[in-house]
Amino acid sequence: MKTLLLFIALIFSNLVISATETKVMIRAKAKDAKFIGSSLGGAHIIVRNKLNQKILAEGNTTGSTGNTDLIMKTPKVRGNSITDDQTGGFVATVDIEEPTFVTIEVISPLNSRQAQAVVSTELWLIPGKNILGEGIILEIPGYIIDILKPRTHQYIALNTIKDKPFLFQANIVMMCGCVIEKGGVWNSDEIEVKGILKKDGKFVKNIDMSWVSTNLFEGNHIINTPGNYELTLYAYHEKTGNTGVDKVNYVVFQ
């Protein structure tokens, strides 16, 4: 019996020893912008074994959004990295016994559900062969849009707004949290921002939204009738194809 137990223990020991720690740096980068790090709450990373969907590693990216000049202004040359030691990322540590085909899934931005996108890629991991440095970079398209005015399901008395411009206001940032401003790296003049206004399910008007200060866009419309209103607000950048949407419902009562 002791011999059998020893034999089983030896087999188990060999199995444990044969698993090799392998590290992979994984980063999430906003399309036409910088990396997603701590300032935005990070991007959530999941590494799975493609064969059985077992989660091998999971966590959030941390660190800075990176160097603006290096990422956005320096011509990309093969072999030159666009990251540094502070750039946001997540080092996944997996224990594998043999070459393993994995799925890497990025969910970002983690804390902005209405803008959240899921991007994934697949690759082979080889035991003990780390993928570090710049690592694996997954691109997240879009904009994060938060409608500030009116508030969700806000009840507004008609007599307080009748015959006066009713203000629509939204905060818009890149998927890394990078700022949008007039003439900036992310130039507000190049981004089309509009609101689609409906009343009781029927189209009323397209609302032009204009940049007023960092990340802040405003528009207005005169509302003279009560009803259930819905504002769908979008941002669109023709050069990159980046898009973003937020939606709010509010009530104007007599």
Side-chain angles (χ1 to χ4, degrees):
M1 184 65 178
K2 289 182 178 179
T3 302
L4 178 60
L5 290 174
L6 180 61
F7 179 70
I8 293 172
L10 285 171
I11 292 175
F12 180 75
S13 176
N14 286 334
L15 287 173
V16 172
I17 292 171
S18 65
T20 304
E21 183 179 274
T22 306
K23 295 184 177 182
V24 186
M25 168 61 79
I26 303 165
R27 305 183 196 270
K29 180 181 175 296
K31 185 175 182 179
D32 189 43
K34 296 166 66 179
F35 290 88
I36 298 160
S38 303
S39 63
L40 201 64
H44 191 65
I45 311 294
I46 304 173
V47 182
R48 302 178 191 269
N49 184 320
K50 178 68 183 297
L51 184 64
N52 58 20
Q53 296 300 300
K54 179 183 177 182
I55 294 178
L56 304 177
E58 185 174 11
N60 297 338
T61 61
T62 58
S64 77
T65 57
N67 184 307
T68 302
D69 288 341
L70 184 62
I71 299 167
M72 302 303 302
K73 299 179 181 180
T74 305
K76 176 66 174 171
V77 177
R78 184 182 182 189
N80 289 356
S81 176
I82 60 171
T83 67
D84 55 31
D85 292 341
Q86 286 74 47
T87 304
F90 168 71
V91 178
T93 302
V94 301
D95 293 318
I96 50 176
E97 301 169 14
E98 59 184 359
T100 303
F101 199 54
V102 301
T103 300
I104 297 176
E105 184 177 280
V106 175
I107 304 166
S108 181
L110 183 60
N111 295 333
S112 300
R113 297 298 177 90
Q114 85 282 3
Q116 203 170 83
V118 179
V119 178
S120 65
T121 191
E122 297 175 344
L123 71 153
W124 284 99
L125 295 184
I126 313 300
K129 304 302 180 183
N130 298 328
I131 304 174
L132 297 172
E134 195 170 88
I136 306 297
I137 299 175
L138 283 85
E139 186 175 76
I140 312 295
Y143 296 104
I144 301 172
I145 300 180
D146 294 297
I147 295 175
L148 305 178
K149 294 181 180 179
R151 303 189 309 274
T152 299
H153 211 243
Q154 182 178 358
Y155 273 72
I156 304 163
L158 180 61
N159 62 9
T160 64
I161 62 171
K162 192 172 183 179
D163 298 323
K164 295 184 290 187
F166 181 77
L167 181 66
F168 301 108
Q169 195 175 71
N171 190 77
I172 305 176
V173 298
M174 305 302 293
M175 292 294 265
C176 53
C178 297
V179 301
I180 296 172
E181 55 190 355
K182 199 173 188 66
V185 175
W186 298 278
N187 188 353
S188 60
D189 291 338
E190 297 180 353
I191 303 171
E192 178 184 320
V193 181
K194 287 186 181 294
I196 303 169
L197 185 64
K198 292 182 179 180
K199 173 182 170 292
D200 299 324
K202 295 181 180 180
F203 174 79
V204 175
K205 186 182 179 182
N206 287 322
I207 309 295
D208 292 324
M209 303 288 291
S210 301
W211 181 90
V212 292
S213 63
T214 303
N215 301 329
L216 187 64
F217 290 76
E218 291 183 353
N220 63 74
H221 175 62
I222 294 176
I223 297 176
N224 284 328
T225 56
N228 296 311
Y229 285 84
E230 177 182 277
L231 177 70
T232 301
L233 194 143
Y234 73 81
Y236 166 66
H237 189 224
E238 184 177 9
K239 290 181 181 178
T240 62
N242 269 330
T243 59
V245 171
D246 195 16
K247 186 179 290 189
V248 67
N249 294 86
Y250 62 98
V251 179
V252 176
F253 65 92
Q254 191 74 50

